[in-house]
């Protein structure tokens, strides 16, 4: 092979190799001319190229051989396309030539069907008009015939009722005007019907009034049912309302007739009973006659009668209230209570104060309590008469509320959902009687109720007594019953309950809101202020000598006042929860059915009354609690703290936490004393002093106030006494002394927390300081280095922990 051939072969191999990589990239293992390093490699590459060439040639030959089949199939497809084109042309010809005429025929048929339907509808409408005109003619002739010789008023009214169902355009149309008139009835049908209605309406009115005058109930009902049939329902309702109003007026006048001797009007509930009878009479009429009216006049038509009845109630109720106001001299009594000076309360706030005992107690402020009636004639106001007036007004307001609730239910729209709150109807809210009730009953009630409550509070403190026989000496028995409180608390809370209950019985939201608000103001300005005056002036804990203790009687009196504040909170909470229906016996303070829902059915009334009562409770409790806590702090500072300092000094007398166990054993042997008694000396002395200090106080205080005092004392004992005492031994005690100190202090804590385990939490710092002081070294290292708290919630910071660890000297 020459060099040129070799070169040409090399170039051909290179070109073939590039084509081969394009055609088949999956044979990277074939030898390449470019990679050949010898003649043998070149020959191998050439052989591979020849093999590749052979494969490609074979594939091309197979494709060429199948070209004839493809051409034959394409020819057949062209033939099919030509056939389909001719079929499409034939189909279009058929559609245009045959189906278009069918579509036109279908359209013509549809239009004819619509025309037939329209003609049928017109025929039906014409038949209906003919039938209505025939019915109209029958009704017109029937009315005229019934009003003639037979005088069948029910039949005549029935014909008119039938005619009223025929549309007005038919009655007044030309067809009816030409068909209905006859020789007997020459007028147009609408003229005949209107004349008949007027004639029958006048006749029915005369017959109804005659039956009402004669008291013929059957005839009254007979003609009352005929008015709506002739289209004069409003006339019937008006004449019926006039009739029942005459009965209401007659009954009310008969009720107000004074009984022989004039004793009737002096009865405390004469006018309340008269007003009750008026409302009951109206309610009976509405209840008994409502179904008759609704059945013959339509649903909701009784409201028109109720409006007429309410107008009569305005008149008769106003007469009753005016007569009551004049007979009871209400205006003069309101003027008297407005000008009452409340001398005792005013003088009590002046610098000069009376003694704790006050005026000897003769009777309770509750009206009727005791043997001596409290009439207060010296001040010009008779409390018994005021109480009687308040009771009478509350009864009248309660009856008015029941009446209002009843009419609101009757006037409620039938479409209103069943559970919807009632709304006061306009006929009541805009009535003269409503304004009269507000002016004659509600306003005087508010003034007199405020006076009655404040005067009762004043009288309660005038007649106030403290429980007798109380002493801090445990050897002296106490004859009085716990809780030990002043009598004014019982009296005032009784009056609070009575005043609130009486206001709720009126079922008037405005009355309850005013009474509760003024009661809260009086309790704040008078009750709490009087208690504050007593605690600050009459019973303040002033020591007789500097650094000494106050007199025992002052301490006892001060404790009684603290108890009184606590019990007053409890009493008021009980009063409010009872009124709201909240039971403490049920889990989580679950509520029973709200007792306020029945007397206050109108929208938002229950929510507003409940809010007023809760505000009274929260306001009073917050102010009494503030005064109570202040009093407990004074009791601690002036009594407990002074004695506690002595108790602690005595308990830790001769405390020697630097001695070793052997030294203590030797001291016990020298003093001929048991070693265990020597070790228990500090907690034993503290327990003796603690019991002598706290047991007399606990015997007199209520559990709640004593627990608060105990917490105050424990807080002071932990921070100001025990913790400081521990730190004072820092570096002065040995390991055994630290163990004894932890034992002694735990004994003191157990004594203080006896009966109230939660108090132990106040000593957490003390117990943790001693715990760290007595820790083993490995435990201390784990706490400091690894941060292992051992499941303890530490209240000490890192610096305090290190200081506690240095308590024991090395």
């Amino acid at each position: 092979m020459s060099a040129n051939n070799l070169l040409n072969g090399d170039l051909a191999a290179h070109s073939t190799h590039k084509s081969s990589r394009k055609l088949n990239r999956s044979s990277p293992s074939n030898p390449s001319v470019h990679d050949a390093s010898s003649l043998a490699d070149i020959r191998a590459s050439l052989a591979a190229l020849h093999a590749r060439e052979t494969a490609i040639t074979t594939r091309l030959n197979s494709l060429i051989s199948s070209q004839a089949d493809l051409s034959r199939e394409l020819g057949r497809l062209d033939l099919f396309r030509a056939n389909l084109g001719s079929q499409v042309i034939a189909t279009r010809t058929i559609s245009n030539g045959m189906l278009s005429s069918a579509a036109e025929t279908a359209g013509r048929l549809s239009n004819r069907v619509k025309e037939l339907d329209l003609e049928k509808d017109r025929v039906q409408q014409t038949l209906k008009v003919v039938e209505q005109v025939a019915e109209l003619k029958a009704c017109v002739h029937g009315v005229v015939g019934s009003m003639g010789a037979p005088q069948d008023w029910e039949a005549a009214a029935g014909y008119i009722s039938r005619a009223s169902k025929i549309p007005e355009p038919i009655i007044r149309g030309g067809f009816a005007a030409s068909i209905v008139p006859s020789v007997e009835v020459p007028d147009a049908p609408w003229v005949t019907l209107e004349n008949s209605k007027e004639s029958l309406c006048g006749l029915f009115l005369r017959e109804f009034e005659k039956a009402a005058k004669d008291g013929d109930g059957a005839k009254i009902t007979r003609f009352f049912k005929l008015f709506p049939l002739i289209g004069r329902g409003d006339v019937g309702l008006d004449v019926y309302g006039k009739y029942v109003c005459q009965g209401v007026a007659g009954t009310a006048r008969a009720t107000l007739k004074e009984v022989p001797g004039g004793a009737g009007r002096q009865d405390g509930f004469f006018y309340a009973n008269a007003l009750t009878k008026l409302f009951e009479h109206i309610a009976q009429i509405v209840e008994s006659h409502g179904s008759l009216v609704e059945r013959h006049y339509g649903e909701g038509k009784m409201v028109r009668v109720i409006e007429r009845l309410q107008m009569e109630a305005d008149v008769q109720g106003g007469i009753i209230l005016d007569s009551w106001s004049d007979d009871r001299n209400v205006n003069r009594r309101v003027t008297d209570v407005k000008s009452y000076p409340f001398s005792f309360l005013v003088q009590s706030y002046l610098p000069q104060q009376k003694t704790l005992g006050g005026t000897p107690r003769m009777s309770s402020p509750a009206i009727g309590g005791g043997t001596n009636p409290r009439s207060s004639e010296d001040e010009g106001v008779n409390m018994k008469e005021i109480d009687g007036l308040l009771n009478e007004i509350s009864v009248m307001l309660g009856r008015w509320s029941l009446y209002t609730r009843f009419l609101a239910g009757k006037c409620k729209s039938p479409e209103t959902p069943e559970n919807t709150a009632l709304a006061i109807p306009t006929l009541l809210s805009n009535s003269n009687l409503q304004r009269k009730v507000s002016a004659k009953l509600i306003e005087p009630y508010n003034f007199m109720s405020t006076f009655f409550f404040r005067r009762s509070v004043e009288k309660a403190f005038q007649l106030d007594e403290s429980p007798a026989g109380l002493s801090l000496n445990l050897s002296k028995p106490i004859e009085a019953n716990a809780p030990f409180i002043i009598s004014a608390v019982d009296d005032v809370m009784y009056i609070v309950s009575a005043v609130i209950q009486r206001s709720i019985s009126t079922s008037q939201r405005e009355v309850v809101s005013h009474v509760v608000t003024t009661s809260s103001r009086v309790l704040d300005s008078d009750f709490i202020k009087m208690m504050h005056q007593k605690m600050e002036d009459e019973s303040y804990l002033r020591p007789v000598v500097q650094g000494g203790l106050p007199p025992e009687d002052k301490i006892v009196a001060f404790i009684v006042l603290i108890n009184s504040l606590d019990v007053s909170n409890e009493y008021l909470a009980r009063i409010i929860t009872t009124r709201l229906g909240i039971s403490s016996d049920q889990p989580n303070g679950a509520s029973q059915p709200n007792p306020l829902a029945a007397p206050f059915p109108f929208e938002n009334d229950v929510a507003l009354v409940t809010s007023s009562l809760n505000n009274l409770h929260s306001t009073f409790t917050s102010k009494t609690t503030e005064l109570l806590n202040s009093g407990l702090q004074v009791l601690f500072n002036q009594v407990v703290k002074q004695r506690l300092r002595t108790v602690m000094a005595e308990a830790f007398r001769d405390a020697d936490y630097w001695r070793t166990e052997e030294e203590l054993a030797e001291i016990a042997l020298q003093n001929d004393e048991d070693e265990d008694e020597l070790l228990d000396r500090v907690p034993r002395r503290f327990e003796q002093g603690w019991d002598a200090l706290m047991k007399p106080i606990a015997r007199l205080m209520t559990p709640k106030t004593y627990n608060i005092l105990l917490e105050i004392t424990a807080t002071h004992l932990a921070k100001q006494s025990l913790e400081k005492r521990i730190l004072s031994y820092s570096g002065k005690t040995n390991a055994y002394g630290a163990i004894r100190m932890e034992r002694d202090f735990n004994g003191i804590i157990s004594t203080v927390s006896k009966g109230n385990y939660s108090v132990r939490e106040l000593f957490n710092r003390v117990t943790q300081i001693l715990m760290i002081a007595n820790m083993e070294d490995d435990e201390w290292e784990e706490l400091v280095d690894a941060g292992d708290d051992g499941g303890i919630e530490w209240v000490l910071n890192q610096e305090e922990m290190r200081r506690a660890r240095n308590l024991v000297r090395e």
Side-chain angles (χ1 to χ4, degrees), residues 88-122:
V88 168
I89 295 170
T91 302
R92 288 175 180 172
T93 303
I94 293 172
S95 174
N96 295 331
M98 298 175 62
L99 297 181
S100 60
S101 61
E104 292 175 359
T105 303
R108 289 195 301 271
L109 289 174
S110 176
N111 292 333
R112 291 301 301 272
V113 169
K114 291 180 180 178
E115 291 174 359
L116 288 175
D117 289 340
L118 181 59
E119 291 178 4
K120 180 180 178 181
D121 184 59
R122 288 173 177 172

Side-chain angles (χ1 to χ4, degrees), residues 732-768:
K732 300 178 183 178
T733 183
N734 54 27
Y736 181 66
I739 295 173
R740 288 175 53 218
M741 187 185 303
E742 185 175 13
R743 178 181 178 183
D744 291 346
F745 280 46
N746 284 334
I748 291 174
I749 294 171
S750 298
T751 299
V752 174
S753 60
K754 191 182 300 181
N756 188 356
Y757 191 80
S758 62
V759 175
R760 297 185 69 91
E761 296 181 1
L762 301 174
F763 295 93
N764 282 344
R765 289 180 58 84
V766 174
T767 56
Q768 289 182 8

Side-chain angles (χ1 to χ4, degrees), residues 428-612:
L428 283 174
S429 59
N430 296 336
S431 66
N432 290 329
L433 186 55
Q434 172 65 53
R435 290 188 284 271
K436 188 82 73 172
V437 166
S438 179
K440 297 288 186 179
L441 296 181
I442 294 179
E443 290 183 10
Y445 184 92
N446 289 340
F447 283 120
M448 288 190 287
S449 179
T450 302
F451 162 79
F452 179 79
F453 181 58
R454 192 177 187 201
R455 174 60 185 144
S456 298
V457 172
E458 181 182 53
K459 197 67 175 179
F461 280 104
Q462 280 182 288
L463 305 177
D464 182 36
E465 289 181 350
S466 293
L470 301 184
S471 174
L472 295 175
N473 189 344
L474 294 176
S475 61
K476 292 184 179 180
I478 297 177
E479 297 179 358
N481 296 323
F484 307 114
I485 60 175
I486 60 175
S487 60
V489 171
D490 285 328
D491 296 336
V492 170
M493 290 302 151
Y494 171 81
I495 296 298
V496 169
S497 178
V499 167
I500 291 177
Q501 182 56 42
R502 184 158 56 190
S503 68
I504 291 176
S505 69
T506 66
S507 298
Q508 295 290 319
R509 181 184 68 190
E510 296 82 2
V511 170
V512 177
S513 178
H514 182 274
V515 168
V516 172
T517 302
T518 54
S519 298
S520 177
R521 188 175 67 248
V522 170
L523 287 173
D524 179 23
S525 64
D526 294 329
F527 178 80
I528 297 177
K529 193 170 183 180
M530 285 294 295
M531 296 293 292
H532 187 231
Q533 288 290 110
K534 286 177 173 290
M535 296 177 74
E536 217 175 43
D537 297 318
E538 297 181 14
S539 306
Y540 193 75
L541 300 177
R542 295 182 180 86
V544 179
V545 296
Q546 184 68 26
L549 293 176
E552 180 181 351
D553 61 333
K554 295 291 185 182
I555 297 176
V556 170
F558 199 80
I559 291 175
V560 168
L561 293 175
I562 290 176
N563 291 345
S564 301
L565 289 171
D566 179 47
V567 172
S568 64
N569 278 344
E570 181 183 345
Y571 282 175
L572 186 64
R574 194 181 308 163
I575 291 169
I576 300 301
T577 54
T578 301
R579 301 298 178 270
L580 297 179
I582 301 174
S583 175
S584 59
D585 298 333
Q586 298 186 14
N588 300 326
S591 297
Q592 302 171 346
N594 195 338
L596 298 176
F600 297 96
F602 295 105
E603 188 177 8
N604 298 328
D605 279 8
V606 173
L608 292 173
V609 171
T610 302
S611 176
S612 297

Side-chain angles (χ1 to χ4, degrees), residues 131 152 215 249 298-299 343 496 706 734 778:
E131 291 173 356
D152 189 349
E299 195 173 24
S343 304
V496 169
Y706 177 72
N734 54 27
D778 54 349

Side-chain angles (χ1 to χ4, degrees), residues 214-403:
D214 297 339
D216 190 344
K219 290 188 69 176
I220 290 174
T221 304
R222 175 194 175 190
F223 288 101
F224 176 63
K225 294 190 294 185
L226 298 179
F227 283 103
L229 297 179
I230 64 174
R232 297 294 189 269
D234 291 345
V235 176
L237 292 175
D238 288 340
V239 70
Y240 174 74
K242 181 180 178 182
Y243 160 68
V244 293
C245 286
Q246 289 175 353
V248 170
T251 304
R253 285 193 294 268
T255 302
L256 280 180
K257 285 184 179 179
E258 192 169 3
V259 297
R265 292 177 183 262
Q266 301 305 317
D267 178 17
F269 294 96
F270 172 78
Y271 290 100
N273 292 333
L275 197 63
T276 301
K277 290 178 182 179
L278 172 65
F279 293 152
E280 286 180 348
H281 190 189
I282 295 175
Q284 288 173 357
I285 292 173
V286 174
E287 187 67 29
S288 59
H289 296 191
S291 58
L292 177 68
V293 174
E294 300 282 345
R295 183 166 61 251
H296 294 285
Y297 284 76
E299 195 173 24
K301 293 299 183 181
M302 190 62 192
V303 175
R304 189 179 182 95
V305 179
I306 293 175
E307 291 175 352
R308 190 65 183 268
L309 285 169
Q310 183 56 40
M311 294 173 63
E312 188 63 32
D314 292 345
V315 175
Q316 302 302 327
I319 292 173
I320 293 173
L321 294 182
D322 288 337
S323 301
W324 169 81
S325 181
D326 294 339
D327 285 355
R328 300 290 192 259
N329 293 320
V330 174
N331 292 334
R332 181 180 62 82
R333 296 183 188 280
V334 170
T335 303
D336 291 342
V337 300
K338 284 182 178 180
S339 60
Y340 185 79
F342 296 101
S343 304
F344 177 79
L345 291 176
V346 173
Q347 293 173 3
S348 297
Y349 303 145
L350 298 178
Q352 60 272 17
Q353 299 292 328
K354 298 181 180 180
T355 60
L356 180 64
T359 307
R361 184 175 177 82
M362 300 300 294
S363 63
S364 169
I367 296 301
T371 57
N372 295 330
R374 294 183 358 196
S375 56
S376 306
E377 288 85 1
D378 52 331
E379 289 91 0
V381 179
N382 190 317
M383 283 285 285
K384 187 174 182 180
E385 292 180 358
I386 296 297
D387 185 62
L389 281 175
L390 289 172
N391 287 332
E392 193 173 9
I393 295 175
S394 66
V395 171
M396 288 193 282
L397 288 176
R399 299 297 184 268
W400 167 250
S401 298
L402 286 173
Y403 173 75

